[in-house]
Amino acid sequence: MSNPAALPSASTLAPLTGSAVDDLTLYHRALTHRSCLRDPGIDAEHSNERLEYIGDAFLDLLVAVELYEHFPEENEGFLSRMRARLVSETPLANAARRCDLGRYLRLSPNAERNGGRKKPSILSDAFEAFTGALYLDRGHDAAAQFARRYLLDPADLETLVHRNRNYKSLLQERLQAAGRPLPTYILKDRTGPDHDSTFVVEVDVDGTSLGQGRAGSKKKAEQQAAHEALKQMHG
């Protein structure tokens, strides 16, 4: 949009809302950054901060339910950590980029000059606010469809799980519960220069090798080895 303070029409927003809107002013408010309130040349009474509050609460609940259903065996701590990862600035800003929300933002000329249309903090807030507007205007299903399409569907939950889990701790807990000795991690090999080394680590339990990991750091190789050991024990 050529005018940084322009307001998009209902037809312009249709690809995002998925249907006709009932209250266009909600979406205009969701796309209005607070910088507009301080600019005397822009006629804006409200920013998107209150709608951001609604969207944040809605996304917290939606993501919580999705994770609860996707990971039926995981505990509350794991689910809370996963939700915190998904409903945070970087994933929300990426979701805003996927739907090109930045192009619709209403910014002051100063915020525009400072790159506000691409700032992760502004984009993430706008995504929450737009979700909140959809919820208030079209209801739960419309807001959930929007959030799933741009935030949850592109998220690789299994990759997030891998990053979020401490496999060494899980292995130790599993062994303790079974009354077995604690694991020992043995560095089997290290190749390459200091700035680009590859480590090979083996995890042993009571003299028996349960898994091996290979990675660019010793800690990551240990985590991989523990992961392999858990898979072997589970299988």
Side-chain angles (χ1 to χ4, degrees):
M1 301 178 68
S2 58
N3 184 352
L7 293 169
S9 65
S11 60
T12 301
L13 293 177
L16 299 183
T17 60
S19 61
V21 302
D22 290 331
D23 188 353
L24 185 58
T25 60
L26 278 172
Y27 302 95
H28 287 169
R29 188 176 299 179
L31 296 168
T32 300
H33 184 250
R34 62 178 177 270
S35 62
C36 293
L37 305 185
R38 301 190 294 267
D39 194 305
I42 300 175
D43 182 17
E45 295 182 2
H46 304 283
S47 73
N48 60 8
E49 290 178 322
R50 281 171 55 86
L51 285 170
E52 178 192 338
Y53 160 78
I54 295 293
D56 177 64
F58 177 84
L59 289 170
D60 264 351
L61 177 59
L62 180 72
V63 170
V65 173
E66 292 280 338
L67 293 172
Y68 180 86
E69 293 177 347
H70 192 83
F71 301 108
E73 303 300 324
E74 298 294 349
N75 61 29
E76 179 269 343
F78 170 86
L79 297 175
S80 294
R81 290 192 298 272
M82 286 285 287
R83 182 182 61 183
R85 282 179 177 267
L86 280 169
V87 189
S88 61
E89 182 176 290
T90 297
L92 291 171
N94 287 337
R97 293 186 186 99
R98 290 187 190 102
C99 62
D100 202 15
L101 200 61
R103 71 185 291 257
Y104 303 108
L105 288 176
R106 193 184 190 201
L107 304 168
S108 70
N110 185 55
E112 181 78 28
R113 285 192 297 271
N114 289 330
R117 205 169 291 279
K118 296 181 179 180
K119 283 188 176 179
S121 59
I122 292 178
L123 287 172
S124 61
D125 290 348
F127 187 85
E128 288 181 326
F130 199 87
T131 303
L134 263 172
Y135 175 78
L136 293 177
D137 183 50
R138 305 296 298 167
H140 175 280
D141 290 351
Q145 182 178 5
F146 175 76
R148 288 192 181 101
R149 180 180 180 185
Y150 295 110
L151 177 65
L152 289 173
D153 287 353
D156 185 345
L157 292 180
E158 295 305 324
T159 297
L160 281 174
V161 168
H162 185 71
R163 291 175 181 171
N164 198 56
R165 275 184 172 147
N166 185 333
Y167 291 108
K168 290 179 65 176
S169 294
L170 288 172
L171 177 60
Q172 181 169 316
E173 291 171 6
R174 187 75 58 84
L175 291 169
Q176 286 177 325
R180 299 180 64 182
L182 295 180
T184 301
Y185 294 89
I186 304 169
L187 179 62
K188 304 295 290 186
D189 193 19
R190 176 181 176 177
T191 58
D194 289 343
H195 68 279
D196 190 23
S197 296
T198 298
F199 297 82
V200 178
V201 172
E202 183 178 272
V203 57
D204 286 6
V205 176
D206 201 20
T208 301
S209 174
L210 292 185
Q212 192 174 90
R214 179 188 299 269
S217 73
K218 186 179 177 183
K219 287 184 177 180
K220 289 182 179 179
E222 289 176 350
Q223 287 287 346
Q224 285 189 12
H227 190 197
E228 290 301 314
L230 284 165
K231 289 194 291 186
Q232 181 174 316
M233 292 173 64
H234 191 67

